[in-house]
Amino acid sequence: MLHGIINVYKEAGFTSHDVVAKLRGIFRQKKIGHTGTLDPAAVGVLPVCLGKATKVCDLLTDKDKTYRCIMLLGIDTDTQDTTGEILSRREVTVTEQEITQAVMSFVGDYQQIPPMYSALKVNGKKLYELARAGKEVERKARPVRVEEIVIESMELPRVTFQVTCSKGTYIRTLCHDIGQKLGCGGCMEHLTRTRVADFTVEDSLNLREIEAAVKAHECGDGWDNENGAGLNHGLQALLRPVDDLFRQYPKATVKESAGKLLENGNRIPVTELLLWQKEWEAAPVRLYDGRGRFAGIYRYQPEAEDMKPIKIFLEKD
């Protein structure tokens, strides 16, 4: 089994679940998960976790994301993008200055009402299932945060901008809300996710490229369950190691005498670390075993003078 994170470029027409299903076939393993849905019509960065890395799917889902969006003014649709049914058309008579003011007014915290065509559930039913059945239900506004918007160009009725935002922000709803504020309506015409945390679109690979790399580097004796044997170095380089996500935390190595404690997910006395530094008391620490394997994230507990596991990744031999 392979362990790590691959930066996938999701192409139009694929759902996030489609990507996972394809990768399960390419890598021939079931333990794979994505890090947050991206609309079928949207393209761009979709980090996918393999093996032990699936434990950090929720962590990546919570990270800020950056998108490049083309907004089409003058049209409202039921899906809030151009894939839906047109509900109204209005003439776009607003000025570029008015558009700029309206767009920039959404920077910061705002209460966003999720679209009906979304995977959110109400009373156990996904909203898009209700929408397809012709039903509309009341949705509560949710707090989201827009960190930054950079307007790239205006060729009315189209406006192209980049937006960095928090988890749970719907960019097509943002386009809809901007259109409502301008009084002419608006929807999303195109969306590219350019960044999730430090996974960028420039470093992403589409499914064809990943499949070609696997076929080119595949060996006859299969896949090793720990170090990716059966792959040469070139293919292993496709995957980001799990501990790379936590490189902002200090690193410590556990003595061989505490190897079993580490494997069993027990707390580790600080006397069992090869080196102890006072500043580690204030922050999470990456622990490794004597073979250099990443064990997990631990936090110092002053009352017991030991390290308590926060998230464990090491598996028994």
Side-chain angles (χ1 to χ4, degrees), residues 75-87 117 187-188:
I75 293 177
D76 281 320
T77 73
D78 57 353
T79 58
Q80 299 180 344
D81 62 20
T82 53
T83 67
E85 182 182 339
I86 295 176
L87 302 177
Y117 281 88
C187 63
M188 186 180 76

Side-chain angles (χ1 to χ4, degrees), residues 73 76 88 90 174-186:
L73 294 175
D76 281 320
S88 67
R90 282 173 276 184
L174 174 63
C175 292
H176 169 82
D177 292 346
I178 292 170
Q180 293 302 302
K181 185 158 192 171
L182 288 168
C184 61

